Amino acid sequence: MDDLLVIEDLVVAYSGPAGEVRAVDGVSLRLPRGASLGLVGESGCGKTTLALALVRLLPSCASILSGRILLEGEDLVQMPETAMEGVRWRRVALIPQAAMNSLNPVYTVGWQIREAIATHERVASREADRRAAAALELVGLDPARRFAYPHELSVGMRQRVVIAMAFACRPPLIVADEPGSGLDAISRAQVLGLMQRLRHRLGTSFVMISHDLEEATALGDLVAVMYAGKVVEVCPAGRFPGQARHPYSRALAAAHPPLRGPRQQLTGIPGEVPRPGSPPPGCRFHPRCPEAAAACRQVGPELSKVAPGHHVACHLWGGEGL
Amino acid sequence: MTQARVEAIELSRIYRGSRRRAVLAVDRLNLAIGGGEVFGLVGESGSGKSTTARLLMGLERPTSGRVLYRGWDPAKRPREFRRQAQLIFQDPYAALNPALRVLRTVTEPLAIHGVGTGAERRRLACRWLERVGLTPPRDYLDRFPHELSGGQRQRVAIARALILEPAFVAADEPTSMLDLSVQAGILNLLVTLQQEMGLGCLFITHDLAVARHVSHRIGVMFAGRLVEQGPAEAVVGTAAHPYTRQLLAAAAVGVLTEEVSFTAPSPDGCRFGPRCPRAGAVCREQEPFLTAIGDGHLVACHFPG
């Protein structure tokens, strides 16, 4: 299969006074060209760190300790920064968290889209302006809005501008970090609908990061669940959350009240995500798991296959192995 | 429903900007919330939900119309009103004073209203920390907000709001900044406390599923107006206003495929008109008013259903 993105045993650590802290601890994922992946988990599970590692925009205190990130077969981990500048935006773009606040308030949005294009491609300024206008049109905004400053736009419109920027150089892969958070229900649904349409029109792949299951499955062909720096379940989006196996995946799904049917007591997940520096021994989820057994306290489970394309790291589901 | 505790009568609030036209944040809103009743207020950003809460809570003066608390004007007796009506805010990171330890934060309302001695306040604080699930309380009393997680902070904010045993609470999107797994715990806590204390509650959210989960009645706001109101199950199950339906579609599927127009509505017509799939000529000429379509179920639409 033609893989757009392959992540192999990636370890990303922050260095602090107490030594190194592994926020992403041995993650392997595979994304075929044109497919999209939803990545879910609570805050503090390493989702954003993974996103930043994919575009090599980690803060200076963080570094990739080991593993490979193969984008179209080329390893981004080993790539010198100068070469990386040619990859960013043209081959992989990032829609950062709280994207609507990531625009520069003192420049017009058109200027900012032009800058993104001109930094990564050699184009005449008139051509960059034409493309900025086209990018805004693509996300359903009036091209005349390129003369507007960010404060003149609503939150939902600003989010669209950032999406327009991510698409400006037509990268095959876009990493979107919680693109719907901070928006109300309707704007969020519209932004997700927009991304879905653009994806079908342009064939772009997404890595869609969210703690919201709906958002993560909205574009996803695949869903990966992350807990405490590790991927604990990967499955086709259609099987999620209905046929999710990992107790953590099922707990996440049960946490949101249903819109229909009888009202029931919400279960939530007791306790908190462990601090990355001191994960519990064995399965990292065992202190919060309602089904934890003795083995879970001692041995960390590996991902194993339970159905085609469906892998779970849980002792309760000892499958056939990878 | 028991006697109305908080009432809004033809309540309006206009913000006047320097360059732009005046903004009608809340427009002739009528609302009554009973004792022991949870009223869920839903709508998109900018629909006037938070302004409504601030008006009902006396944090802002209405441009016209009145707020009544048990039949009297809260603005005339602000101290007595605040003893009985409290707020829980959206952002637990901003709502707590970062320089105060948990003990001081939770007991501050007692100090302001002169309730109890220092030792009694401390005892009460411990009891409330336990009630909101921060156990054992002595582990939390001396902590600063930055030492707490988002969910723990919101629990502290809830303890602070309820320690005076108010009769009414307004909660403005109390879980929208939290992880889903944490949100579930906070929603359960609020529902339990509301039932135990018989609290009247205005619960603001843009998530209809959450509104249905916690509320007895739901009101839907659009552009400063209440466009639909009724028993929670009726509003979610048999939504009659096209805007409520749009909200439901957004909540059920998570993805809206059609684009939404942002044309300005005509001044005399329905505000939702330009975005409405059903809009006809009458919608441009005449604004619809709330009309009963079922038991306590009201909708402001020329073509409901």
Side-chain angles (χ1 to χ4, degrees):
Chain A
M1 202 173 349
D2 176 21
D3 284 322
L4 176 66
L5 176 73
V6 179
I7 304 171
E8 282 176 1
D9 212 13
L10 188 70
V11 179
V12 184
Y14 290 84
S15 54
E20 73 188 24
V21 167
R22 294 182 172 203
V24 173
D25 196 1
V27 164
S28 298
L29 288 168
R30 186 173 286 271
L31 186 64
R33 186 175 290 276
S36 284
L37 170 81
L39 190 63
V40 290
E42 291 163 280
S43 310
C45 282
K47 306 188 299 295
T48 296
T49 303
L50 180 60
L52 294 175
L54 290 180
V55 287
R56 288 261 313 269
L57 286 174
L58 288 163
S60 58
C61 57
S63 56
I64 297 172
L65 291 189
S66 62
R68 302 202 294 171
I69 300 170
L70 302 171
L71 180 68
E72 299 174 308
E74 227 181 318
D75 190 358
L76 301 186
V77 175
Q78 301 300 334
M79 196 175 273
E81 178 54 32
T82 46
M84 197 60 214
E85 275 167 19
V87 169
R88 254 178 239 132
W89 247 243
R90 290 174 67 177
R91 291 167 61 193
V92 53
L94 175 73
I95 298 173
Q97 205 165 30
M100 50 280 195
N101 301 326
S102 69
L103 294 168
N104 189 328
V106 302
Y107 292 103
T108 62
V109 298
W111 189 93
Q112 296 182 58
I113 300 174
R114 284 205 309 277
E115 188 204 24
I117 297 169
T119 307
H120 298 101
E121 291 180 40
R122 294 177 74 95
V123 286
S125 69
R126 183 173 299 175
E127 169 66 7
D129 187 55
R130 193 193 59 74
R131 281 178 51 188
L136 288 177
E137 211 161 11
L138 189 71
V139 296
L141 291 176
D142 182 352
R145 291 282 189 186
R146 65 188 187 281
F147 305 113
Y149 289 91
H151 77 268
E152 296 174 297
L153 303 175
S154 73
V155 182
M157 286 166 145
R158 292 206 293 270
Q159 184 69 301
R160 283 167 189 252
V161 169
V162 179
I163 294 172
M165 271 167 102
F167 275 101
C169 299
R170 296 284 187 276
L173 177 66
I174 293 181
V175 179
D177 194 357
E178 310 220 359
S181 71
L183 301 178
D184 64 67
I186 289 203
S187 329
R188 194 191 73 144
Q190 283 174 348
V191 160
L192 295 180
L194 170 74
M195 292 170 80
Q196 215 172 52
R197 279 198 305 281
L198 290 177
R199 190 194 146 204
H200 288 137
R201 217 168 105 194
L202 306 170
T204 314
S205 280
F206 274 91
V207 173
M208 184 84 151
I209 293 176
S210 182
H211 63 253
D212 185 308
L213 305 188
E214 261 170 12
E215 193 169 306
T217 49
L219 298 180
D221 300 297
L222 296 167
V223 173
V225 182
M226 240 181 127
Y227 185 75
K230 287 192 174 293
V231 170
V232 297
E233 182 155 17
V234 190
C235 68
R239 292 174 68 88
F240 196 88
Q243 283 147 288
R245 296 288 171 78
H246 200 283
Y248 180 61
S249 312
R250 285 186 280 137
L252 279 180
H256 195 255
L259 193 57
R260 313 263 179 213
R263 292 192 217 191
Q264 52 211 358
Q265 172 90 3
L266 300 174
T267 41
I269 307 175
E272 279 162 49
V273 179
R275 288 172 176 266
S278 49
C283 171
R284 293 180 177 187
F285 188 57
H286 87 256
R288 302 171 74 188
C289 182
E291 295 164 70
C296 306
R297 290 178 193 86
Q298 285 144 17
V299 186
E302 297 289 323
L303 278 173
S304 61
K305 188 171 168 186
V306 290
H310 190 161
H311 301 271
V312 180
C314 177
H315 289 307
L316 299 171
W317 299 96
E320 307 147 34
L322 275 171
Chain B
M1 187 176 82
T2 50
Q3 166 224 355
R5 213 155 231 158
V6 176
E7 260 179 289
I9 301 160
E10 292 290 306
L11 198 63
S12 296
R13 180 71 171 100
I14 299 173
Y15 292 111
R16 300 195 186 280
S18 52
R19 259 170 53 197
R20 281 203 219 152
R21 279 189 307 121
V23 176
L24 252 174
V26 175
D27 186 12
R28 290 162 288 158
L29 184 104
N30 290 294
L31 191 67
I33 304 173
E37 184 187 41
V38 181
F39 188 89
L41 194 57
V42 299
E44 61 193 24
S45 316
S47 59
K49 307 186 298 286
S50 291
T51 306
T52 303
R54 295 175 62 81
L55 289 167
L56 289 183
M57 284 290 122
L59 295 181
E60 232 165 278
R61 298 292 298 149
T63 310
S64 66
R66 291 197 298 162
V67 174
L68 288 180
Y69 178 75
R70 287 181 157 157
W72 45 273
D73 180 358
K76 300 241 164 70
R77 288 185 263 171
R79 214 181 157 80
E80 191 179 337
F81 177 62
R82 186 57 71 233
R83 171 121 206 216
Q84 298 189 32
Q86 287 280 337
L87 276 129
I88 299 165
F89 296 96
Q90 174 176 13
D91 184 355
Y93 293 86
L96 303 180
N97 184 335
L100 299 189
R101 293 178 197 275
V102 167
L103 173 67
R104 184 70 195 284
T105 296
V106 173
T107 54
E108 199 166 33
L110 300 172
I112 289 169
H113 290 275
V115 178
T117 62
E120 282 163 359
R121 286 175 198 163
R122 192 187 168 89
R123 223 172 16 250
L124 211 51
C126 287
R127 237 191 58 217
W128 270 98
L129 288 179
E130 224 158 57
R131 254 184 119 169
V132 298
L134 296 175
T135 47
R138 61 180 177 320
D139 286 1
Y140 294 92
L141 286 174
D142 292 325
R143 290 214 222 167
F144 287 103
H146 75 264
E147 298 171 293
L148 303 173
S149 70
Q152 290 170 336
R153 285 178 213 217
Q154 200 58 297
R155 287 172 193 268
V156 169
I158 292 169
R160 174 180 66 182
L162 298 184
I163 198 162
L164 285 168
E165 309 237 353
F168 188 80
V169 164
D172 190 355
E173 305 211 30
T175 60
S176 68
M177 307 264 301
L178 304 173
D179 255 321
L180 278 187
S181 55
V182 178
Q183 164 177 294
I186 299 284
L187 289 180
N188 284 339
L189 174 67
L190 285 172
V191 169
T192 310
L193 290 172
Q194 186 271 329
Q195 285 167 355
E196 284 173 6
M197 300 170 70
L199 276 171
C201 182
L202 175 74
F203 191 98
I204 293 179
T205 172
H206 61 249
D207 186 333
L208 260 174
V210 168
R212 182 187 86 120
H213 184 75
V214 300
S215 316
H216 300 110
R217 282 193 301 147
I218 291 178
V220 181
M221 259 186 113
F222 181 79
R225 303 280 282 161
L226 262 181
V227 295
E228 183 159 7
Q229 163 186 338
E233 291 300 332
V235 170
V236 173
T238 55
H241 198 282
Y243 178 61
T244 314
R245 297 222 163 174
Q246 212 175 66
L247 281 175
L248 278 168
V253 192
V255 176
L256 276 183
T257 43
E258 81 259 37
E259 276 296 317
V260 163
S261 125
F262 291 100
T263 354
S266 67
D268 303 319
C270 173
R271 261 164 236 192
F272 189 63
R275 279 172 60 172
C276 184
R278 295 184 209 157
V282 61
C283 305
R284 277 186 294 280
E285 286 150 18
Q286 217 181 324
E287 193 180 358
F289 288 95
L290 281 174
T291 319
I293 55 159
D295 191 15
H297 190 174
L298 308 171
V299 64
C301 179
H302 292 301
F303 305 104

